[in-house]
């Protein structure tokens, strides 16, 4: 790998980008998906976070153009040069230009150039990487069509970008200790209701490898986010999703990627607005809306669009109350109530969680409404609450839904 | 087969443009053709070395073929 002379980098972890125009070769939603996935390639191995802007000046301005397009490097018609990008800096610094004379595609056939692959390469430049002479590295200057479904960066690319920005931060979730493989245990009997136990402290012992496939019946299992979806219930952890369906007895265990290839894994929260057939996913200060497998165009959007103050950088959990048409967002020990009909935050919020949800007095990892009750997940426990009667009914293991 | 003279000239032009774009080659408007060709050979060597080709400074078919691959427009070498 190599960097540009004087090693220019972004002096911050929050980098913005804006898509200035689109190629007529692809659906706008596919262009947005390709670009979002290309950013995720780099955010997954660095502390960088990318936020899409819809107006004004962003750090990385992305555009399609042919021939002469205002800088000193005119494009050359079909073939040859496909795109170029500038190292981090002001003005044109960081910008990425794609040659409109090429045929852009979301596929990896030979009838065109895969926009995701080229964009991931160009964004490497936008972040400060120059070319690599390692054949097979993403930053190798010559285009190589390859399968993009399970795209993995070459170690050379990872070494290069981490030489500039370092590795990703520890995941905010507490590292959990490794568990010796064990037989699925009998479900622990529901404990007598008490206050939520304080957040488990990380114990000694080697932390489990990040993103190792978690065991369904591990008694220490915790979740990042939980939502219903068209009658099913989805439990998210790192890049995995458990799918509990009323139609099948066993639990399906997949990768998030297999449902939504362009969605960033490691959600903070998720909820379904059932009467709109819409699920919203949250990560850091952005959110996406999906309907089934398809991601709605124009996402991700900043969570401030929902009415959060800029001081809120991420949310812990979210759940939609199908009876009241309110969605509750949990941040730290407080929560907000969002009116899905008026699409606005309700007045008088945030409020303390403990004031309205009996027995829930610590941060919530995930939340779910099922069979008229609310379930609040915290670490490896979940708290069943009847909010009408404001009563904590029982405490169970978080994965009690998996029929262990 | 021997390369037809006009094809050879065309390839030379293409290679010169490529080396200017990606290897910081600057063609000097000098009278000394030989000097120019030497500098170009040096840049061809640099490009051959980057792509792991046989480094001989010659504009051979393999080198030309590599130059004609679709690629990123950002230079491989910059001053």
């Amino acid at each position: 790998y190599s960097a540009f002379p004087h090693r220019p980098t972004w002096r911050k972890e929050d980098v913005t980008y804006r898509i200035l125009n689109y190629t007529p070769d692809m659906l706008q939603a596919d262009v947005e998906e390709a670009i979002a996935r290309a950013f995720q390639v780099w955010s997954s191995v660095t502390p960088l976070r990318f936020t899409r802007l819809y107006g004004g000046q962003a750090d990385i301005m992305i555009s399609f153009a042919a021939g002469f397009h205002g800088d000193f490097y005119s494009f050359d018609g079909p073939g040859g040069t496909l795109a170029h990008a500038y190292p981090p800096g002001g003005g044109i610094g960081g910008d990425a230009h794609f040659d409109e004379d090429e045929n852009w595609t979301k596929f990896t056939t030979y009838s065109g150039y895969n926009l995701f692959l080229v964009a991931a390469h160009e964004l490497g430049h936008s972040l400060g990487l120059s070319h690599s002479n390692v054949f097979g590295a993403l930053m190798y200057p010559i285009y190589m069509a390859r399968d993009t479904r399970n795209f993995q960066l070459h170690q050379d690319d990872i070494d290069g970008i981490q030489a500039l920005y370092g590795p990703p931060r520890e995941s905010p979730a507490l590292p959990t200790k490794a568990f010796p493989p064990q037989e699925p245990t009998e479900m622990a009997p529901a404990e007598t209701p008490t206050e939520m136990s304080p957040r488990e402290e990380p114990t000694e012992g080697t932390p489990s490898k990040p993103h190792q496939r978690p065991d369904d019946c591990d008694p220490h299992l915790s979740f990042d986010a939980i939502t219903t979806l068209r009658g099913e219930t989805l439990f998210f952890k790192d890049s995995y999703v458990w799918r509990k369906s009323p139609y099948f007895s066993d639990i399906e265990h997949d990768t998030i990627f297999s449902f939504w290839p362009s969605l960033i894994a490691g959600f903070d929260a998720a909820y379904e607005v059932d009467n709109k057939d819409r699920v919203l996913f949250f990560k850091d200060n952005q959110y996406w809306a999906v309907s089934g497998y398809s991601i709605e165009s124009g996402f991700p959007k900043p969570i401030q669009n929902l009415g959060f103050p800029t001081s809120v950088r991420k949310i812990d959990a979210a759940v939609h109350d199908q009876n009241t048409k309110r969605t509750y967002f949990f941040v730290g020990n407080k929560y907000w109530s969002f009116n899905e009909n008026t699409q606005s935050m309700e007045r008088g919020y945030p409020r303390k969680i403990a004031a309205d949800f009996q027995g829930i007095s610590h941060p919530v990892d995930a939340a779910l409404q099922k069979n008229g009750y609310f379930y609040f997940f915290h670490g490896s426990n979940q708290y069943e609450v009847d909010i009408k009667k404001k009563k904590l009914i029982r405490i169970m293991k978080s994965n009690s839904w998996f029929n262990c | 087969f021997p390369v037809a003279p006009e094809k050879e000239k065309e390839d030379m032009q293409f290679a010169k443009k490529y080396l200017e774009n990606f290897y910081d080659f600057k063609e000097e408007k000098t009278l000394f053709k030989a000097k120019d060709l030497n500098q170009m050979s040096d840049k061809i060597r640099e490009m051959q070395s980057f792509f792991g080709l046989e480094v001989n400074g010659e504009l051979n078919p393999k080198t030309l073929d590599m130059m004609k691959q679709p690629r990123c427009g950002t230079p491989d070498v910059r001053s």
Side-chain angles (χ1 to χ4, degrees):
Chain A
Y1 65 84
S2 64
F4 287 95
H6 316 305
R7 281 167 66 88
T9 57
W10 296 106
R11 302 289 178 206
K12 54 187 177 180
E13 291 181 356
D14 287 296
V15 178
T16 58
Y17 75 93
R18 185 179 160 198
I19 301 174
L20 290 174
N21 63 355
Y22 292 86
T23 169
D25 304 343
M26 294 166 66
L27 294 176
Q28 282 196 13
D30 290 340
V31 171
E32 291 163 354
E33 189 173 319
I35 300 292
R37 277 186 68 203
F39 275 110
Q40 189 206 348
V41 161
W42 297 112
S43 62
S44 64
V45 291
T46 63
L48 296 173
R49 281 184 296 268
F50 300 107
T51 302
R52 184 178 168 196
L53 301 186
Y54 295 82
Q57 180 67 28
D59 298 316
I60 297 174
M61 304 284 256
I62 292 165
S63 58
F64 292 82
F68 175 74
H69 53 279
D71 63 16
F72 291 103
Y73 294 92
S74 298
F75 283 132
D76 53 1
T81 297
L82 307 180
H84 58 221
Y86 293 84
I92 203 169
D95 293 0
H97 302 161
F98 296 82
D99 186 351
E100 188 41 67
D101 280 337
E102 310 303 343
N103 176 27
W104 295 106
T105 172
K106 68 175 185 179
F107 303 107
T108 47
T109 57
Y110 287 86
S111 66
Y113 296 106
N114 179 276
L115 181 60
F116 158 70
L117 283 175
V118 176
H121 173 103
E122 296 309 329
L123 295 178
H125 291 318
S126 305
L127 300 177
L129 281 181
S130 189
H131 282 145
S132 163
N133 63 2
V134 172
F135 186 76
L138 177 65
M139 295 313 291
Y140 191 71
I142 288 175
Y143 176 82
M144 285 187 288
R146 62 186 99 176
D147 188 341
T148 60
R149 277 167 305 178
N150 300 308
F151 180 80
Q152 300 285 333
L153 274 177
H154 190 286
Q155 190 57 45
D156 183 70
D157 301 309
I158 296 173
D159 295 345
I161 201 71
Q162 290 189 348
L164 298 176
Y165 295 100
R169 298 248 167 277
E170 273 299 296
S171 74
L174 295 173
T176 51
K177 68 180 179 46
F179 309 102
Q182 54 193 345
E183 284 309 305
T185 53
E186 281 302 303
M187 275 319 304
E191 297 159 24
T192 48
T194 59
E195 293 266 304
M196 259 188 187
S197 59
R199 187 178 276 270
E200 285 111 24
E201 290 308 316
T203 55
E204 288 312 306
T206 48
S208 67
K209 274 201 283 305
H211 307 314
Q212 190 172 358
R213 171 169 167 157
D215 167 11
D216 300 8
C217 291
D218 168 355
H220 299 269
L221 186 60
S222 60
F223 296 111
D224 297 337
I226 299 173
T227 180
T228 54
L229 192 154
R230 296 179 181 173
E232 302 188 354
T233 308
L234 304 181
F235 300 75
F236 297 91
K237 171 89 178 171
D238 298 330
S239 49
Y240 292 101
V241 51
W242 288 265
R243 185 177 173 188
K244 182 177 177 59
S245 165
Y247 319 113
F248 312 109
S249 60
D250 56 350
I251 302 291
E252 192 179 312
H253 196 166
D254 295 285
T255 58
I256 295 171
F257 195 88
S258 58
F259 292 103
W260 301 284
S262 68
L263 270 197
I264 290 179
F267 302 133
D268 297 322
Y271 73 93
E272 177 185 32
V273 186
D274 55 313
N275 60 351
K276 292 180 183 170
D277 184 29
R278 193 179 202 224
V279 171
L280 282 83
F281 291 110
F282 294 75
K283 181 162 172 76
D284 298 330
N285 60 350
Q286 294 184 303
Y287 70 104
W288 291 255
V290 306
S291 178
Y293 291 111
S294 61
I295 301 173
E296 290 183 22
S297 64
F299 287 88
K301 289 179 179 171
I303 58 175
Q304 278 66 38
N305 283 19
L306 296 169
F308 285 107
T310 49
S311 57
V312 173
R313 310 286 297 156
K314 70 185 276 286
I315 61 171
D316 297 335
V319 61
H320 177 65
D321 185 340
Q322 296 174 358
N323 308 318
T324 63
K325 301 301 175 220
R326 298 296 187 273
T327 296
Y328 303 124
F329 292 102
F330 299 87
V331 181
N333 62 359
K334 297 193 180 71
Y335 81 104
W336 272 259
S337 175
F338 181 80
N339 184 327
E340 293 289 346
N341 294 327
T342 62
Q343 285 293 296
S344 60
M345 281 301 181
E346 292 207 287
R347 305 167 75 81
Y349 289 86
R351 291 170 55 86
K352 284 232 187 274
I353 296 173
D356 300 333
F357 296 96
Q358 172 74 17
I360 309 296
S361 57
H362 279 276
V364 176
D365 293 343
L368 171 69
Q369 181 188 35
K370 202 82 178 170
N371 317 320
Y373 291 132
F374 279 79
Y375 297 85
F376 297 101
F377 293 72
H378 174 73
S380 60
N381 290 326
Q382 66 179 300
Y383 300 74
E384 185 180 66
V385 175
D386 179 335
I387 62 169
K388 288 194 202 81
K389 295 177 185 155
K390 293 208 172 214
K391 201 161 157 301
L392 173 62
I393 295 169
R394 58 180 170 154
I395 299 175
M396 302 172 282
K397 278 296 174 192
S398 293
N399 54 0
S400 66
W401 303 81
F402 294 173
N403 320 320
C404 289
Chain B
F1 290 108
V3 177
E6 62 278 6
K7 175 79 174 53
E8 189 169 355
K9 188 160 176 287
E10 205 178 282
D11 286 343
M12 184 58 89
Q13 280 307 319
F14 173 84
K16 203 168 281 185
K17 183 86 180 122
Y18 182 93
L19 294 170
E20 281 168 2
N21 282 344
F22 304 117
Y23 284 82
D24 209 26
F25 171 59
K26 294 184 177 63
E27 185 182 20
E28 291 186 17
K29 308 300 176 206
T30 66
L31 298 178
F32 306 107
K33 203 84 191 131
K35 183 181 175 198
D36 218 16
L37 284 177
N38 279 343
Q39 279 185 351
M40 191 161 162
S41 284
D42 290 345
K43 287 299 181 182
I44 290 175
R45 278 191 195 86
E46 203 171 337
M47 176 260 178
Q48 289 169 329
S49 164
F50 185 95
F51 286 108
L53 299 170
E54 184 196 354
V55 179
N56 55 23
E58 290 164 16
L59 193 56
N60 55 35
K62 273 202 173 152
T63 301
L64 255 182
D65 184 48
M66 185 63 87
M67 288 181 171
K68 291 181 175 169
Q69 293 299 310
R71 59 159 288 156
C72 170
T74 301
D76 297 338
V77 165
R78 66 195 61 255
S79 53

